[in-house]
Amino acid sequence: MFCHLHRLESITIHSPTHEIFAKYIPSRAPLLKRITLWGWDQREPHDPISRFSGSWTYLEELRIRECRNIEWKEAQFGQLRVVDIYCYTSLEISLIFRLIQENQRLEILGLEDSTFTSSTSLTHSNTPVVLSHLKDLTLCNLALADPGEVNNHPQHPTLLILRHIRFPSCSSFILHTSIESESTVTPEDLQSLVPSPLDLLAHPSLRDPQTSQTTRGYLRATFLNHRLILTVDQGPGCEFRYDVRLDDTPRSITRRWLKSALENRPGVALHRCMLRVFIEEHSQMDDLVAFQDSEAVTHLSVGISGEHLREGVERRLLQILAKSCTSASGATVMAFPRLLKVEFEGWSGRGEPVLEMIRNRFGTPGVEAHRPDVIIISYRYESQEVRWDSLDDIRELRGFKAVHFGAIDHWPRWPARSRSPESLWPPSNGHWEAEPHFIWEEE
């Protein structure tokens, strides 16, 4: 088999060593198109790249898992479509910039759970590289190898990469990062570097050819502890995916960024938008006030961290829902004008104050408010429909979990999808072998 190395196009190597390379790969594989390495950690001169003479002219897919100490300087690329690096220790960000610059037909770029060496001396063009073919971009949990260098490091690795590229055709964007150390980050920085899901949905490839509209988007934004989680899905059969998690970022920054991200875009209409806010202290009610004029929010869920907050949070929430405001389009409307459902997450709404909120919300003169045919109260395992002529029945209710303004609108539940359907990991037997293992493919 090894006499055919000159014809080899794809190879997957688990837990390689220098001895294994010397035994099984005694010569170059000049036509190699796909390589996946798992678990390289050898401080030896003959690493995987030098073993292949550094010239991977035809290589299209490069996947690296749990590696360190690979000598990249000799590597020559030019036709990569896939770069997928997971759990790499002390990666040089200059290498990533070189890969991007030399392979501008990239379709998949994934960097996850990896650390980077300091790049304070790194300089690059102020003009971002436009990756017009990039469909799948994942940047998750990237950090400096030495956190102590952060004071001398002008940018977090994630932000440096986002500043370096543009990806107008991306339909799968996953970003998980913590920017606690970035004291100079502003909402404007996030706006310019982290794309809005509506901007990505606006791409012509995702629009209905008959209506030129993008509709079936389901957006969920969650303020939880010290993070913002924003996800968008279009359901089975749709290629679009958006998953952003910003940890340890000041609420004032994430609120302003999300508010901008939800602003209307021509040709894009979210089908549903859920705002979830978990309250740990009363000041976090500002998260609700900040979005009360939003014409995007259709579902609102409010949770509390302790019973001592319940009374104050309930009173303030119902006050917000019962008052008018000026919408983003300039109309006088009730707060959250498109609201279909409000949910009490981890606590129970009480009948009398909820009844007062409903009457004020749909009975204030001079304020736009479409009155639904029915109000539906959801309990844990059942729902009760209340019509307007019997609205007083709500007064005596206790322990309900949600109020629906109109028919129950179920939020869809879809199975989780793999980020990269081409990934070969983990091995099908559920574990990776202790002994070196090869998968050979000749085409």
Side-chain angles (χ1 to χ4, degrees):
M1 175 171 59
F2 305 113
C3 64
H4 297 298
L5 282 173
H6 66 284
R7 294 167 49 190
L8 188 69
E9 293 195 3
S10 180
I11 185 171
T12 298
I13 310 173
H14 300 220
S15 192
T17 65
H18 171 57
E19 290 76 14
I20 293 298
F21 269 104
K23 179 178 179 181
Y24 293 105
I25 311 178
S27 62
R28 290 181 56 197
L31 299 182
L32 194 65
K33 291 183 178 180
R34 294 176 293 276
I35 186 168
T36 304
L37 298 175
W38 180 293
W40 176 268
D41 187 15
Q42 301 292 313
R43 295 184 181 274
E44 302 185 39
H46 301 295
D47 70 2
I49 291 180
S50 61
R51 170 58 57 183
F52 288 104
S53 301
S55 180
W56 288 351
T57 307
Y58 296 98
L59 196 70
E60 296 180 0
E61 300 181 15
L62 174 65
R63 291 184 170 87
I64 306 292
R65 295 288 187 271
E66 296 187 2
C67 291
R68 66 170 70 193
N69 303 320
I70 294 179
E71 180 52 66
W72 297 92
K73 292 180 181 179
E74 295 183 16
Q76 300 174 26
F77 305 101
Q79 299 188 39
L80 287 175
R81 295 185 302 104
V82 177
V83 173
D84 194 0
I85 300 175
Y86 169 77
C87 204
Y88 192 104
T89 302
S90 297
L91 187 63
E92 292 189 14
I93 201 166
S94 58
L95 166 69
I96 301 303
F97 287 172
R98 181 161 69 86
L99 288 176
I100 290 171
Q101 188 67 44
E102 296 176 354
N103 300 271
Q104 297 188 24
R105 297 184 68 84
L106 277 173
E107 297 175 15
I108 296 176
L109 175 58
L111 304 171
E112 298 184 63
D113 296 333
S114 298
T115 59
F116 289 80
T117 57
S118 177
S119 57
T120 54
S121 60
L122 178 67
T123 59
H124 59 83
S125 171
N126 291 327
T127 303
V129 177
V130 179
L131 300 176
S132 57
H133 298 273
L134 192 67
K135 299 293 185 183
D136 185 327
L137 175 60
T138 299
L139 303 172
C140 289
N141 305 321
L142 308 181
L144 289 174
D146 182 4
E149 296 178 351
V150 73
N151 292 330
N152 299 318
H153 189 76
Q155 291 289 349
H156 189 283
T158 302
L159 299 184
L160 270 175
I161 294 168
L162 288 173
R163 196 180 301 277
H164 189 69
I165 61 175
R166 295 293 181 269
F167 35 96
S169 302
C170 185
S171 58
S172 178
F173 179 73
I174 303 174
L175 172 69
H176 295 175
T177 190
S178 169
I179 53 177
E180 180 180 14
S181 61
E182 293 294 306
S183 59
T184 61
V185 171
T186 67
E188 290 73 24
D189 291 327
L190 290 185
Q191 284 177 237
S192 64
L193 297 177
V194 182
S196 158
L198 300 187
D199 288 334
L200 299 184
L201 280 168
H203 192 269
S205 66
L206 297 173
R207 295 189 180 187
D208 186 320
Q210 296 181 341
T211 64
S212 296
Q213 294 282 318
T214 301
T215 51
R216 289 179 52 202
Y218 287 81
L219 182 149
R220 187 195 305 265
T222 303
F223 286 100
L224 176 65
N225 299 329
H226 299 289
R227 65 170 58 111
L228 169 65
I229 305 168
L230 180 61
T231 60
V232 181
D233 210 329
Q234 287 190 298
C238 296
E239 64 176 2
F240 184 82
R241 184 181 180 189
Y242 186 96
D243 182 347
V244 168
R245 190 179 76 193
L246 301 174
D247 292 341
D248 300 315
T249 307
R251 282 302 239 299
S252 58
I253 290 179
T254 53
R255 278 199 303 261
R256 284 184 57 187
W257 174 77
L258 179 60
K259 190 75 178 292
S260 173
L262 293 180
E263 290 178 356
N264 290 333
R265 304 301 197 272
V268 181
L270 289 171
H271 185 61
R272 293 290 183 264
C273 173
M274 176 184 290
L275 177 64
R276 301 179 66 194
V277 179
F278 189 74
I279 304 295
E280 297 176 288
E281 54 187 55
H282 288 292
S283 63
Q284 292 173 346
M285 292 297 291
D286 291 344
D287 294 335
L288 294 178
V289 176
F291 292 92
Q292 64 180 348
D293 63 345
S294 172
E295 298 177 15
V297 178
T298 58
H299 292 62
L300 182 63
S301 180
V302 181
I304 58 174
S305 65
E307 184 64 21
H308 66 287
L309 293 171
R310 187 190 64 80
E311 184 175 351
V313 170
E314 179 183 48
R315 180 174 61 252
R316 185 73 178 112
L317 170 62
L318 298 179
Q319 286 175 349
I320 292 171
L321 295 178
K323 289 186 177 181
S324 64
C325 64
T326 302
S327 71
S329 62
T332 300
V333 296
M334 298 307 295
F336 301 99
R338 291 186 60 218
L339 193 64
L340 301 174
K341 175 186 177 182
V342 57
E343 181 179 9
F344 311 99
E345 192 170 338
W347 54 294
S348 300
R350 295 180 296 121
E352 189 163 345
V354 171
L355 172 62
E356 182 181 357
M357 177 274 292
I358 293 172
R359 284 181 165 158
N360 288 332
R361 183 172 180 82
F362 298 104
T364 301
V367 179
E368 291 184 22
H370 175 69
R371 196 176 85 165
D373 294 332
V374 296
I375 301 294
I376 298 178
I377 307 298
S378 289
Y379 300 86
R380 187 173 183 181
Y381 298 113
E382 61 180 333
S383 299
Q384 178 176 335
E385 183 177 292
V386 180
R387 297 198 169 271
W388 289 96
D389 57 4
S390 56
L391 206 61
D392 279 345
D393 292 349
I394 296 177
R395 188 186 308 276
E396 304 303 322
L397 297 180
R398 294 291 184 273
F400 52 82
K401 300 298 182 182
V403 178
H404 305 258
F405 302 122
I408 292 179
D409 187 82
H410 291 289
W411 194 270
R413 294 182 181 273
W414 294 308
R417 294 181 295 162
S418 170
R419 177 183 64 80
S420 177
E422 301 178 64
S423 175
L424 300 175
W425 307 100
S428 58
N429 60 5
H431 66 278
W432 58 282
E433 295 84 347
E435 295 298 322
H437 173 65
F438 291 79
I439 300 174
W440 305 82
E441 297 177 29
E442 290 188 43
E443 297 181 6

